[in-house]
Amino acid sequence: MAQAHGDRLSAVDASFLAQERANSHMHIGAVLILEGPPPTYEDFLNHIRSRLHLVPRYRQKLAVPPLETGRPIWIDDASFNLEYHVRHTALPSPGSQEQLRALAARIHSQRLDRAKPLWELWLVQGLEDGRFALISKTHHALVDGISGVDLMTVMFDLSPVPQAAPHEGEPWTAQPEPNPVQLAARGVKGLARLPLELANGALAAATHPGASLDQVKEALEGIGEVAWAGLNPAPETPLNVPIGPHRRLSFVRNDLDDFKLVKNTLGGTVNDVVLTVVAGGLRTWLRSRGVRTEGLELRALVPVSVRTKDDKGQLGNRIVVMRGPLPVYVEDPVARLRVVRHAMDGLKESKQAVGAAAISGLEALAPPTILAQASRLQFSTRLFNLLVTNVPGPQFPIYILGRELLDTYPVAFLPENQSLAVAIMSYNGGMDFGLLGDYDNLPDIEDLGQALKDALAELVQAAGGKPRGRRKKASAV
Amino acid sequence: MAQAHGDRLSAVDASFLAQERANSHMHIGAVLILEGPPPTYEDFLNHIRSRLHLVPRYRQKLAVPPLETGRPIWIDDASFNLEYHVRHTALPSPGSQEQLRALAARIHSQRLDRAKPLWELWLVQGLEDGRFALISKTHHALVDGISGVDLMTVMFDLSPVPQAAPHEGEPWTAQPEPNPVQLAARGVKGLARLPLELANGALAAATHPGASLDQVKEALEGIGEVAWAGLNPAPETPLNVPIGPHRRLSFVRNDLDDFKLVKNTLGGTVNDVVLTVVAGGLRTWLRSRGVRTEGLELRALVPVSVRTKDDKGQLGNRIVVMRGPLPVYVEDPVARLRVVRHAMDGLKESKQAVGAAAISGLEALAPPTILAQASRLQFSTRLFNLLVTNVPGPQFPIYILGRELLDTYPVAFLPENQSLAVAIMSYNGGMDFGLLGDYDNLPDIEDLGQALKDALAELVQAAGGKPRGRRKKASAV
């Protein structure tokens, strides 16, 4: 869809701005590891500059109409400065993954400046083995509304030989900023035909901005099911306590084939295996904290993208909320997978089936915006203990300036009173976990990462395989 | 003075918290350049840990009593985590000063987290020529109240051989956090004997927390003079416009002997020469912006530390505010110095003389807390165009873990509607300028830095000298 000067934020996008708190940031991103040698800052800037016209939203900022009812609109940022958004930094020696995680966590601990286009992209030199990294950070309100064409998509090539982008080199000129009267008029325009205003504080499904009313209704029915489930509140855990603004990250690097082996041998979907691994890891971690796990089942919020026809007959992404069961009370990994499958089968008979069906084919999907799915939801710790989001990426190598992308660790966000979010992204045979934790509540996030790794290894072994970690150009974790 | 658990913030320190805005941060710091090789993060952490007991305030956080009248108190941070405050990072290659400035500017663009002790110290690897840097960032409310013993002081040694600090190695235990009732009681305690409550929004002099009432009165008379001057408001300039949260830095490295040559040949004090250089640089910069300088005199706020006996007969620092004339209308550098001297002589006949007298002996003073002087003031653009602060440092080399400190660039702060602050620090024969600018308003801050350099060179030439830049282990700027 177009990303035009003067677009008004959808109700959902506006809600991401409204929901943001000092300690609960609404930006998401990823840590990408690429083969070296790192490009120079100038080359990288020029590359981004050459693709920026494909994603106009990245040169737009928020303008707030002077009326309470007026939701913000996107306007061109006349003083747009690419050097502000694209930043160059380096790791201290030896350039370990631990140092990279510390850097990325610091970057994600700081809110984006709302007076500027809502994104940053950091070029990171000095990673060990001659590699380099990119750390992205983009506000929900930006990535959500553009539905499929974001900077992360357009900056990559499908081949090692950099390609010229269509219309590359055409000069960009900012549209003039609206004056206060124009801004006021723009703020109220369209309010009458607003398809769905979300009740404040209620659990809400968000829909594709272009979705038809039918689709909205269908999504709401699915959500109703989840809301019902919420009448049994999620259990209290050390995860669900007030959080601060600071973050920690842990990365777990896995091979997608390990998940497929488990699925093919023991049954279920890739997503069932993911939930089983997360439940197993949380079990170990909770017990290391002295928390009793007898009878304890945590509840994950799992945003799911389903492909539907929109009213123009085009394929579009639509998001439904799924409740992901995390039976941490089950010690045996095979039994734990069985419980997850059973719970998921039960959910399939409800409206949540839409999501479950979509999940089974997850690896075939390629929604281009990392984690955009997660951005269309509101959260409540009464309903969910943590966010677990599984984002399928391309299953072939992609390149930037001729350098191959090796690993992608997605970074989600923490709603208030949630100390952990698990984001997973598959890419080119890998299945990488990015764990985002509150800095003070999760000093032991590395233990949790290791516990997830162990939980997968147990399942692989139970399936008769040998846990291999990730092969091919593996970057040690 | 002691820095005890349970100390209540002075009215002034509390006002720094109250004054802080999203775009106007109240932290200060410095960028320090040291000879290599850089220490490891572990060695550096251990070094800081070994000195931390000398500055208890650095392990204390704010606690806010539950009463409107209750000013915050300092309490031990039981979850103090040194790795949070001391951070390790690196510059991308080639490790230029420009890259160092970009890093330091980003660090200073972010507010400190008020839930933790109010400081950060960054160890920066990868500076060119095998050097490394330290970037400090400390909240005014912390540095101001401790009057002389801060981390920057205690972490340095007077000799290349690291010394054991007194009482090193004694274990630290946090005092328990006060409960709400204790906190409420602590909040009102001492309110009755409060020596001076500062009128909100009024220009205020701040005094040494331990100052006697006589000293307070004397300082207020000096301030009264400045307030009178304020009836003629400072001129409007491109510097005095709304600012954003982001910053730029420019460094100018000078030799103290150049300032002394000018002073000895052409008359005046070192501070007169500083103001003449700043005026000359601003003249060039304003004209490059197309601003007419005919008849234009800007006004600098110059905080001055004077040594006085306190009521116990000990020497203490006391701060007075001086109005620094910046006659940008004068093209000829010698004539400009004359105008500055004349204006300063006029000020000497007023109560501001105290400050002027102190300035002439500035280089002999060694107040240990960088920029702490500047922190005791409130600001108004009606009265001042910018902050110019001149902090004398030691005139002999100091060391950290055996590495010599080479250069010190102080970083001041920007009050609302002030886009530039100039901080100067003398150290071991150097006289380094740190220019802090608003990111969007001062994209040409490097031009301003160069203009300051040129303005000094003109004066040195007029004094019959040859501008030499800085000698001895010079790091190129």
Side-chain angles (χ1 to χ4, degrees):
Chain A
M1 65 181 292
Q3 302 170 18
H5 173 84
D7 282 353
R8 204 151 65 96
L9 266 72
S10 71
V12 179
D13 292 347
S15 81
F16 297 137
L17 295 172
Q19 277 178 57
E20 194 161 52
R21 297 282 175 279
N23 291 350
S24 181
H25 322 119
M26 295 299 282
H27 54 252
I28 55 176
V31 179
L32 308 177
I33 295 174
L34 295 100
E35 68 175 354
T40 66
Y41 182 48
E42 286 65 34
D43 287 349
F44 190 69
L45 275 176
N46 287 336
H47 178 69
I48 299 299
R49 200 176 278 120
S50 75
R51 306 282 166 103
L52 216 51
H53 62 287
L54 301 172
V55 283
R57 200 66 95 222
Y58 284 74
R59 281 193 283 223
Q60 293 167 0
K61 62 179 181 179
L62 297 169
V64 183
L67 276 178
E68 277 189 40
T69 49
R71 291 198 303 265
I73 60 173
W74 294 109
I75 61 169
D76 286 349
D77 179 10
S79 59
F80 180 78
N81 182 350
L82 189 59
E83 286 84 352
Y84 171 82
H85 297 275
V86 178
R87 298 166 172 210
H88 195 198
T89 189
L91 298 179
S93 59
S96 66
Q97 290 243 355
E98 183 185 349
Q99 291 168 321
L100 176 62
R101 290 193 301 268
L103 172 65
R106 279 179 204 144
I107 289 172
H108 274 268
S109 297
Q110 302 285 358
R111 280 175 59 165
L112 287 158
D113 180 4
R114 292 199 182 178
K116 297 182 182 300
L118 292 171
W119 64 283
E120 293 169 12
L121 181 61
W122 296 65
L123 170 64
V124 185
Q125 273 192 358
L127 194 57
E128 58 198 353
D129 301 326
R131 292 170 177 173
F132 71 103
L134 297 175
I135 299 171
S136 74
K137 175 179 168 188
T138 310
H139 200 282
H140 264 171
L142 192 163
V143 291
D144 191 53
I146 58 182
S147 178
V149 186
D150 78 342
L151 180 62
M152 301 299 277
T153 317
V154 302
M155 75 181 184
F156 281 103
D157 294 313
L158 298 180
S159 88
V161 183
Q163 324 260 302
H167 305 289
E168 185 176 325
E170 290 177 14
W172 177 77
T173 318
Q175 301 289 315
E177 290 207 16
N179 62 40
V181 174
Q182 290 169 324
L183 204 52
R186 179 74 75 170
V188 291
K189 191 176 150 188
L191 274 186
R193 55 180 170 78
L194 185 65
L196 173 68
E197 281 288 355
L198 297 168
N200 210 356
L203 179 70
T207 60
H208 188 282
S212 72
L213 200 58
D214 276 356
Q215 284 178 324
V216 172
K217 277 164 65 184
E218 192 187 330
L220 278 183
E221 284 168 39
I223 294 306
E225 181 68 21
V226 176
W228 176 87
L231 295 179
N232 306 307
E236 288 180 21
T237 74
L239 293 178
N240 303 115
V241 291
I243 61 172
H246 307 291
R247 300 289 176 263
R248 291 179 193 269
L249 285 171
S250 178
F251 297 157
V252 188
R253 193 169 185 275
N254 304 299
D255 200 308
L256 180 56
D257 283 345
D258 279 345
F259 287 81
K260 288 185 174 167
L261 171 72
V262 173
K263 170 189 83 135
N264 294 337
T265 311
L266 304 175
T269 65
V270 166
N271 204 59
D272 292 342
V273 182
V274 165
L275 291 175
T276 307
V277 166
V278 171
L282 284 170
R283 173 187 167 85
T284 306
W285 175 78
L286 285 166
R287 293 168 69 91
S288 78
R289 287 275 191 117
V291 177
R292 291 174 65 94
T293 53
E294 287 80 1
L296 184 65
E297 178 167 301
L298 302 191
R299 213 174 280 167
L301 184 155
V302 184
V304 178
S305 167
V306 285
R307 308 201 110 190
T308 55
K309 282 195 181 174
D310 71 13
D311 46 10
K312 287 176 191 143
Q314 292 181 311
L315 282 177
N317 292 319
R318 200 159 56 82
I319 306 303
V320 293
V321 163
M322 288 213 42
R323 170 172 98 251
L326 298 172
V328 296
Y329 65 90
V330 189
E331 181 173 6
D332 178 70
V334 180
R336 196 187 313 126
L337 175 58
R338 207 177 304 126
V339 172
V340 169
R341 286 180 57 199
H342 180 76
M344 296 301 275
D345 286 344
L347 292 176
K348 275 181 197 163
E349 289 164 23
S350 77
K351 272 284 174 187
Q352 292 200 333
V354 188
I359 284 179
S360 63
L362 203 62
E363 61 272 30
L365 266 173
T369 298
I370 295 169
L371 281 177
Q373 288 94 329
S375 70
R376 303 196 180 186
L377 306 163
Q378 293 188 347
F379 296 85
S380 158
T381 48
R382 280 199 60 249
L383 298 175
F384 299 102
N385 296 104
L386 74 158
L387 172 70
V388 177
T389 180
N390 188 343
V391 183
Q395 291 309 311
F396 43 82
I398 57 178
Y399 304 84
I400 191 163
L401 288 167
R403 280 83 165 177
E404 185 180 335
L405 174 64
L406 302 176
D407 288 304
T408 62
Y409 298 101
V411 180
F413 64 99
L414 298 185
E416 282 187 304
N417 296 308
Q418 298 205 8
S419 299
L420 175 71
V422 179
I424 301 124
M425 184 160 177
S426 62
Y427 160 67
N428 198 23
M431 186 81 169
D432 294 342
F433 284 44
L435 278 58
L436 178 71
D438 175 72
Y439 185 90
D440 291 308
N441 294 341
L442 283 188
D444 51 357
I445 195 168
E446 285 301 305
D447 298 343
L448 182 55
Q450 184 59 48
L452 288 175
K453 213 171 177 57
D454 295 345
L456 175 61
E458 272 188 340
L459 276 168
V460 171
Q461 242 164 347
K466 260 223 279 230
R468 40 195 158 183
R470 183 118 173 249
R471 297 150 307 172
K472 288 188 303 182
K473 301 188 180 174
S475 66
V477 170
Chain B
M1 65 181 293
Q3 303 169 17
H5 172 83
D7 282 353
R8 202 152 65 94
L9 267 72
S10 72
V12 178
D13 291 347
S15 80
F16 297 138
L17 295 172
Q19 277 178 57
E20 193 161 50
R21 297 283 175 277
N23 292 350
S24 181
H25 321 119
M26 294 299 282
H27 53 252
I28 55 175
V31 179
L32 308 177
I33 295 174
L34 296 99
E35 68 174 354
T40 67
Y41 183 48
E42 286 64 35
D43 286 350
F44 189 69
L45 275 176
N46 286 336
H47 178 69
I48 298 298
R49 199 177 279 118
S50 76
R51 305 283 165 102
L52 216 50
H53 62 286
L54 301 172
V55 283
R57 199 66 96 221
Y58 284 74
R59 281 193 283 222
Q60 294 168 358
K61 62 181 181 179
L62 297 168
V64 182
L67 275 179
E68 276 189 42
T69 49
R71 290 199 303 264
I73 60 173
W74 294 108
I75 61 168
D76 286 349
D77 179 9
S79 59
F80 179 79
N81 182 350
L82 189 60
E83 287 82 353
Y84 171 82
H85 296 275
V86 178
R87 299 167 171 209
H88 195 198
T89 189
L91 298 179
S93 60
S96 66
Q97 290 243 355
E98 183 184 349
Q99 292 168 320
L100 176 63
R101 289 192 302 265
L103 171 66
R106 278 180 204 143
I107 290 172
H108 274 268
S109 297
Q110 304 284 358
R111 279 176 61 165
L112 288 158
D113 180 6
R114 293 200 182 178
K116 296 182 183 298
L118 293 171
W119 64 282
E120 293 170 11
L121 180 61
W122 296 65
L123 169 64
V124 185
Q125 273 191 358
L127 193 59
E128 58 197 353
D129 302 326
R131 293 169 176 174
F132 70 103
L134 297 174
I135 300 172
S136 74
K137 174 178 167 188
T138 310
H139 201 283
H140 264 172
L142 193 162
V143 291
D144 191 56
I146 58 183
S147 177
V149 185
D150 77 344
L151 180 62
M152 302 299 278
T153 318
V154 302
M155 74 183 185
F156 281 103
D157 294 313
L158 298 181
S159 88
V161 183
Q163 325 260 303
H167 305 287
E168 185 175 323
E170 290 177 13
W172 177 77
T173 318
Q175 301 289 316
E177 289 207 16
N179 62 39
V181 174
Q182 290 170 323
L183 203 51
R186 178 74 74 170
V188 291
K189 190 175 150 190
L191 275 184
R193 54 179 171 78
L194 185 66
L196 172 70
E197 280 288 356
L198 296 168
N200 212 356
L203 178 71
T207 60
H208 188 283
S212 72
L213 199 60
D214 276 357
Q215 284 178 326
V216 172
K217 276 164 66 183
E218 191 187 331
L220 278 183
E221 284 167 39
I223 294 306
E225 180 69 20
V226 176
W228 176 86
L231 295 179
N232 307 306
E236 288 180 21
T237 74
L239 293 178
N240 302 116
V241 292
I243 60 171
H246 308 291
R247 300 289 176 263
R248 291 180 193 269
L249 285 171
S250 178
F251 296 158
V252 188
R253 191 169 186 277
N254 303 298
D255 201 309
L256 181 57
D257 283 346
D258 280 345
F259 287 81
K260 288 186 174 167
L261 170 71
V262 172
K263 170 190 84 133
N264 293 337
T265 312
L266 303 175
T269 66
V270 165
N271 202 60
D272 292 343
V273 181
V274 164
L275 291 175
T276 306
V277 166
V278 171
L282 283 170
R283 172 188 167 86
T284 305
W285 175 78
L286 284 167
R287 293 169 69 92
S288 78
R289 287 274 191 118
V291 177
R292 292 175 63 95
T293 53
E294 287 81 1
L296 184 65
E297 178 168 301
L298 302 191
R299 213 174 280 166
L301 184 155
V302 184
V304 179
S305 168
V306 285
R307 310 201 109 189
T308 54
K309 281 194 183 176
D310 70 14
D311 46 9
K312 286 176 188 143
Q314 290 181 312
L315 280 178
N317 291 320
R318 198 157 57 83
I319 307 302
V320 293
V321 163
M322 288 213 42
R323 169 172 100 251
L326 298 172
V328 297
Y329 65 90
V330 188
E331 180 172 6
D332 178 70
V334 179
R336 196 186 314 125
L337 175 58
R338 207 177 303 125
V339 172
V340 168
R341 287 180 57 198
H342 181 75
M344 295 301 275
D345 286 345
L347 292 176
K348 277 181 193 162
E349 288 165 23
S350 76
K351 272 285 174 186
Q352 292 199 335
V354 187
I359 285 179
S360 64
L362 204 62
E363 61 271 33
L365 265 173
T369 299
I370 295 169
L371 280 176
Q373 289 93 329
S375 70
R376 303 195 180 185
L377 306 162
Q378 292 187 346
F379 296 86
S380 159
T381 48
R382 280 200 60 248
L383 298 174
F384 299 103
N385 296 103
L386 74 157
L387 172 70
V388 177
T389 179
N390 188 342
V391 183
Q395 292 308 311
F396 43 81
I398 58 178
Y399 305 85
I400 191 164
L401 287 167
R403 280 83 164 176
E404 185 179 336
L405 173 64
L406 302 176
D407 287 304
T408 62
Y409 298 100
V411 180
F413 65 98
L414 300 184
E416 283 187 304
N417 297 308
Q418 298 205 7
S419 299
L420 175 70
V422 179
I424 301 124
M425 183 159 177
S426 61
Y427 161 66
N428 198 24
M431 186 81 169
D432 294 342
F433 284 43
L435 277 59
L436 178 71
D438 175 72
Y439 185 89
D440 291 308
N441 295 340
L442 283 188
D444 50 356
I445 195 168
E446 285 301 305
D447 298 343
L448 182 55
Q450 185 59 48
L452 288 175
K453 214 170 175 57
D454 295 344
L456 175 62
E458 274 188 338
L459 276 169
V460 170
Q461 243 164 342
K466 261 225 276 232
R468 41 196 160 186
R470 189 134 162 230
R471 298 151 305 173
K472 288 189 300 180
K473 300 187 182 177
S475 66
V477 170

